[in-house]
Amino acid sequence: MSLSAQLDQQRATSAANIPPELMAIMSDATQQLRLSGLVEQAPKIGDTFMHFELPNQLGQTRNLGDLLANGPVVVTFYRGGWCPYCNLALRAYQQHLDTFAQFGATFVAITPELPDISLTTTEKNELNFEVLSDINADYARALGVVFSLPGEIRTLYAKFGVEVEKHNGTGQFDFPLAATFVVSKDGIIANAFVNADYTYRMDPQDIIATLKTL
């Protein structure tokens, strides 16, 4: 089943199991994010992708320049290991990792979660790619793909048992948009997916189609 189909299935499951009044709160927050203009300001195809230097789940520093020296780089952002949509996407990308590598591409994920937490996410999903911790969401904010979780959603997530501060650090409620970028070896964005709705992600087949052109 494609990632897009899996996400459709997860949306249907959520709609069936979450009370309508709570779904309405989340839908309204997503709509407000759409209207904020943040997506329109995000990096686009043809832009130079901003340099990063971030620790992976083992605390080892990785930077974009070193990764690009080996070929194209695919960068995906995710909210946290507590998010079912994120986990579906991460597992789908893992399944296509060998195909990405056939085109010389390195795949990395970036999350605001602390390294110890991202390590748990990596182990739980049996990921063989590096997960980089963007502490305080500083890099994603500089890139222009960060929003602050509204108060009513923080309360709602707490009711769902999601302890955001446990994952991101005390006082940290900033999340990246659902975003994936395919960056060519020269650092230029060859494909970009940025969505205000976290239930949508770039499908692996779209990544592969782009890598074929590089």
Side-chain angles (χ1 to χ4, degrees), residues 19-178:
E21 64 273 18
L22 301 185
M23 286 294 295
I25 293 173
M26 291 188 288
S27 296
D28 181 67
T30 299
Q31 180 61 11
Q32 292 304 312
L33 189 54
R34 286 195 189 98
L35 297 174
S36 71
L38 186 60
V39 170
E40 289 74 20
Q41 297 170 17
K44 297 174 178 58
I45 294 173
D47 290 348
T48 298
F49 195 67
M50 182 180 292
H51 178 78
F52 62 73
E53 188 166 314
L54 300 167
N56 65 14
Q57 63 268 36
L58 300 177
Q60 303 162 331
T61 301
R62 296 289 181 259
N63 71 73
L64 180 62
D66 288 346
L67 297 178
L68 287 174
N70 299 316
V73 177
V74 182
V75 181
T76 193
F77 289 83
Y78 75 92
R79 305 191 306 160
W82 49 268
C83 169
Y85 297 94
C86 297
N87 289 321
L88 284 174
L90 293 173
R91 289 194 292 267
Y93 296 142
Q94 170 63 37
Q95 291 171 1
H96 291 81
L97 207 57
D98 288 344
T99 305
F100 299 159
Q102 289 176 13
F103 296 99
T106 300
F107 186 93
V108 297
I110 298 179
T111 177
E113 289 191 307
L114 301 170
D116 285 349
I117 303 296
S118 65
L119 178 58
T120 300
T121 300
T122 300
E123 294 172 342
K124 180 179 70 175
N125 291 293
E126 300 181 339
L127 306 179
N128 294 321
F129 53 82
E130 292 190 302
V131 175
L132 309 182
S133 284
D134 182 18
I135 306 301
N136 302 332
D138 288 338
Y139 173 69
R141 184 177 301 103
L143 193 65
V145 295
V146 158
F147 68 98
S148 185
L149 198 66
E152 63 271 22
I153 301 299
R154 298 179 192 181
T155 301
L156 189 58
Y157 280 3
K159 290 181 180 179
F160 291 157
V162 178
E163 301 176 77
V164 174
E165 291 178 288
K166 179 180 178 180
H167 290 259
N168 293 11
T170 303
Q172 296 303 317
F173 293 94
D174 287 345
F175 286 153
L177 295 170

